[in-house]
């Protein structure tokens, strides 16, 4: 797909939209609206995986955010799955020994 081939340019164009979505999802999370937060973080993850599949660190961060929401919402199995996948993906982006991988 063209979007994947020119991912860097498309990512730059959509960066503001994605940042706004993430900021809004974080606000929902802080106010205890886990359902809305989860929906937005899930959309962000979908955009990254559908269009920017090679942006591993961003995908890892999105998965991490989903894991946090699931944990706070009491969905511990889903939280564990998301966090484990976030670590796996971030290792691809940052390497095994990076402190941000955990």
């Amino acid at each position: 797909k063209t979007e994947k081939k020119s991912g860097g340019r498309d990512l730059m164009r959509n960066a503001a939209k994605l940042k706004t979505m993430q900021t809004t999802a974080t606000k929902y999370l802080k106010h205890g609206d886990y359902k809305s937060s989860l929906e937005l973080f899930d959309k962000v993850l979908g955009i990254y995986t559908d269009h920017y599949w090679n942006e591993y660190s961003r995908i890892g961060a999105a998965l991490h955010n989903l894991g946090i929401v699931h944990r706070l919402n009491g969905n511990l199995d889903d939280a564990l799955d998301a966090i484990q996948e976030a670590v796996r993906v971030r290792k691809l982006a940052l390497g095994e020994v990076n402190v941000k991988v955990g």
Side-chain angles (χ1 to χ4, degrees), residues 54-87:
N54 61 340
E55 296 286 335
Y56 296 118
S57 64
R58 294 175 192 267
I59 292 169
L63 284 162
H64 179 259
N65 290 336
L66 284 173
I68 290 171
V69 177
H70 281 304
R71 184 183 69 75
L72 292 172
N73 203 27
N75 301 324
L76 300 182
D77 289 337
D78 291 337
L80 182 61
D81 291 345
I83 295 297
Q84 287 176 333
E85 183 65 6
V87 170

Side-chain angles (χ1 to χ4, degrees), residues 42-55:
D42 196 42
K43 285 181 184 179
V44 169
L45 177 62
I47 291 168
Y48 283 133
T49 56
D50 288 348
H51 302 288
Y52 312 109
W53 53 271
N54 61 340
E55 296 286 335

